Amino acid sequence: MRFVLPQQRELYLQMQEDAKLVPMPVLEQDELESFHYIISDSARGDYAITVTWWRPVKGELGNPCCMWGVVKWIDQNARRIKLVSDEDSQWIALDRITDVKG
């Protein structure tokens, strides 16, 4: 039987979580324009889209997050959108969006 101290277990689990972190993907200008068109169309047409964005965790590494909903507000000054679903609402920075599907 092998004994593991709680500190060792916690460090091991933290290392496993850190291994899942990825850098933010680099997007081309035409992809960004396509995303902005779909986002503004969702706000005008009031239809749902799926938005994937990158959430920083440790420095330059982070996790991709995904949410389905309708764009209810586009904040031009803060460069963010408000995505609203049945259960949740989320402010998402335009600079962190990595994918949008209509």
Side-chain angles (χ1 to χ4, degrees):
M1 183 183 291
R2 185 173 172 187
F3 292 102
V4 178
L5 294 173
Q7 298 89 346
Q8 291 174 323
R9 181 179 186 280
E10 184 177 319
L11 181 61
Y12 175 75
L13 292 175
Q14 184 62 44
M15 288 173 52
Q16 293 296 323
E17 287 297 317
D18 290 349
K20 296 178 187 175
L21 300 178
V22 295
M24 184 172 172
V26 178
L27 302 173
E28 299 294 327
Q29 186 63 32
D30 60 336
E31 289 177 302
L32 294 173
E33 290 172 1
S34 171
F35 296 165
H36 292 190
Y37 177 78
I38 295 170
I39 288 169
S40 62
D41 198 38
S42 170
R44 276 193 309 268
D46 200 40
Y47 69 87
I49 58 174
T50 302
V51 178
T52 304
W53 70 96
W54 182 81
R55 183 175 48 102
V57 176
K58 282 190 173 182
E60 297 294 317
L61 298 176
N63 291 336
C65 300
C66 188
M67 184 175 168
W68 174 88
V70 177
V71 177
K72 291 294 184 182
W73 185 262
I74 300 175
D75 188 349
Q76 298 281 343
N77 296 329
R79 297 199 34 81
R80 62 186 185 162
I81 62 171
K82 185 171 188 177
L83 193 65
V84 178
S85 68
D86 294 337
E87 302 95 27
D88 193 17
S89 67
Q90 179 81 33
W91 283 100
I92 304 168
L94 289 172
D95 300 338
R96 308 236 182 221
I97 293 176
T98 59
D99 193 22
V100 177
K101 291 187 171 64

